Amino acid sequence: MRRHTRQLAFDWGAAGAAQPSPDEGLEACAAPSRPAALAPAAGWMEAVVAAANMRRALKQVKSNKGSGGVDGMTVHELDGYLRQHWPRLRQELLDGTYQPQPVRRVDIPKPGGGVRQLGIPTVLDRLLQQALLQVLSPLYEPMFSPHSYGFRPGKSAHQALAAARAHVAAGHTWVVDLDLEKFFDRVNHDVLMGKLAKRLDDRRVLRLIRRYLQAGVMLQGVVMERHEGTPQGGPLSPLLANILLHDLDQELERRGHRFCRYADDCNIYVRRPGLVRGSPGVRSMTGRGCGARRAVPLCNRRCPTRGSNNWATTVCTNDT
């Protein structure tokens, strides 16, 4: 049976040229370390709103489905909204005046107790974040560590498990579990924006990302301001987390450690616990909200888990 793909009845490129906009609240940005020639010829924001990029982003958001945000709009209603409003939205993005909506807070129970707080953006903001992700990911991905496996193209938890087993097989049978406590809730916006600005020179894109970070959280009909943290639930959050944690990866590599990191979960594999137990370097390396848990001995055979949902601790759970 021949399949038909319905095209949206609007022009993704329908909007005028970008107009100058004031640098309201724009942070002082460091000079980009990348040569300007590597930036898109028309500009980073122009690349974000390009027709091909937006079509790809819309397809991804539709395939992800998911619930609506604070405005109640569903994924199925997005087409109709874009037909009517895309020219205006595109112009606001090019002008640097687009204002994201607050995220809807959802508490998800954790298997081990407690809750994980998610921030669900509106479907429109999920579309725009996905479009940003598709443009920014190729810019930052090449600098990331090969030992970082979370939410990256071509990387997976299965690869992280395989690497962990390889470390154990090589004799590194003790693991230090680094717990980045409340990492997503404590992201410093200024530090993150400074790291972004080192490789990204489009102030409109930087301003939009900061607005997403500061968009606020709606809980029981009340919008709460947010001055730190990046909510889990949007397409852009994992990339921002990996950018911020890149320094941790570099420090671990500089010290010659074998490690696997999956988002804010990180395990270091050593031959004996004395290499890390009580070491002052662990605390100074990881900073606020981070600490080394007790070293857990691992064996080389595959074992069932004991109620843990941590991917790294499932490599082996039999104490020696």
Side-chain angles (χ1 to χ4, degrees), residues 57-84:
L58 182 59
K59 181 179 180 181
Q60 184 63 46
V61 169
K62 285 183 174 181
S63 66
N64 291 342
K65 300 179 182 179
S67 59
V70 296
D71 61 357
M73 185 191 302
T74 66
V75 173
H76 303 292
E77 298 171 317
L78 186 56
D79 282 1
Y81 183 86
L82 291 172
R83 289 191 192 97
Q84 182 176 356

Side-chain angles (χ1 to χ4, degrees), residues 3-274:
R3 299 180 62 182
H4 297 274
T5 303
R6 182 169 62 90
Q7 298 295 326
L8 294 179
F10 64 91
D11 181 6
W12 282 106
Q19 300 297 321
S21 59
D23 291 337
E24 94 278 352
L26 184 64
E27 59 281 347
C29 299
S33 60
R34 287 172 60 89
L38 296 182
W44 290 106
M45 185 59 83
E46 283 76 10
V48 171
V49 301
N53 188 57
M54 292 304 303
R55 291 192 192 99
R56 180 182 164 203
L58 182 59
K59 181 179 180 181
Q60 184 63 46
V61 169
K62 285 183 174 181
S63 66
N64 291 342
K65 300 179 182 179
S67 59
V70 296
D71 61 357
M73 185 191 302
T74 66
V75 173
H76 303 292
E77 298 171 317
L78 186 56
D79 282 1
Y81 183 86
L82 291 172
R83 289 191 192 97
Q84 182 176 356
H85 297 285
W86 174 245
R88 172 183 58 81
L89 293 169
R90 182 178 185 274
Q91 191 63 55
E92 289 179 2
L93 291 165
L94 291 172
D95 290 345
T97 60
Y98 176 78
Q99 292 285 352
Q101 296 191 63
V103 298
R104 179 171 61 87
R105 177 171 158 179
V106 177
D107 293 337
I108 306 297
K110 295 182 179 180
V115 296
R116 175 176 288 106
Q117 295 181 359
L118 301 183
I120 309 301
T122 64
V123 292
L124 174 61
D125 282 323
R126 293 210 295 271
L127 171 68
L128 299 180
Q129 286 193 32
Q130 181 64 35
L132 281 168
L133 175 66
Q134 292 166 183
V135 170
L136 298 183
S137 183
L139 175 63
Y140 291 97
E141 270 293 323
M143 76 177 189
F144 290 156
S145 168
H147 309 295
S148 168
Y149 296 91
F151 308 104
R152 295 182 56 195
K155 295 284 190 176
S156 68
H158 289 92
Q159 293 177 354
L161 284 168
R165 292 191 183 104
H167 295 326
V168 171
H172 297 74
T173 55
W174 289 77
V175 59
V176 176
D177 183 12
L178 295 183
D179 180 14
L180 282 72
E181 182 182 1
K182 296 185 180 299
F183 168 75
F184 286 95
D185 297 332
R186 293 177 174 174
V187 168
N188 185 297
H189 293 173
D190 292 333
V191 172
L192 175 57
M193 295 306 302
K195 294 183 181 299
L196 284 164
K198 290 180 180 180
R199 297 175 72 88
L200 181 65
D201 58 356
D202 192 316
R203 293 189 172 190
R204 298 166 300 174
V205 176
L206 291 170
R207 186 184 298 114
L208 179 58
I209 293 174
R210 180 176 280 277
R211 285 174 179 168
Y212 274 122
L213 293 173
Q214 299 178 335
V217 180
M218 179 174 287
L219 179 63
Q220 296 179 349
V222 178
V223 177
M224 298 176 291
E225 293 185 355
R226 186 172 64 237
H227 302 288
E228 65 176 356
T230 173
Q232 301 180 69
L236 199 56
S237 293
L239 175 65
L240 299 181
N242 279 328
I243 291 171
L244 193 59
L245 290 171
H246 178 58
D247 286 352
L248 171 62
D249 296 341
Q250 286 187 309
E251 181 62 21
L252 291 172
E253 290 173 349
R254 187 187 68 82
R255 298 185 182 203
H257 287 307
R258 295 183 178 226
F259 69 97
C260 297
R261 183 176 65 79
Y262 195 97
D264 58 335
D265 291 323
C266 184
N267 285 179
I268 305 174
Y269 299 85
V270 296
R271 291 187 180 277
R272 60 183 186 274

Side-chain angles (χ1 to χ4, degrees), residues 165 299-306 313-318:
R165 292 191 183 104
C299 69
N300 291 330
R301 60 185 180 276
R302 193 172 182 177
C303 307
T305 63
R306 294 181 300 190
T313 60
T314 62
V315 177
C316 176
T317 55
N318 284 353

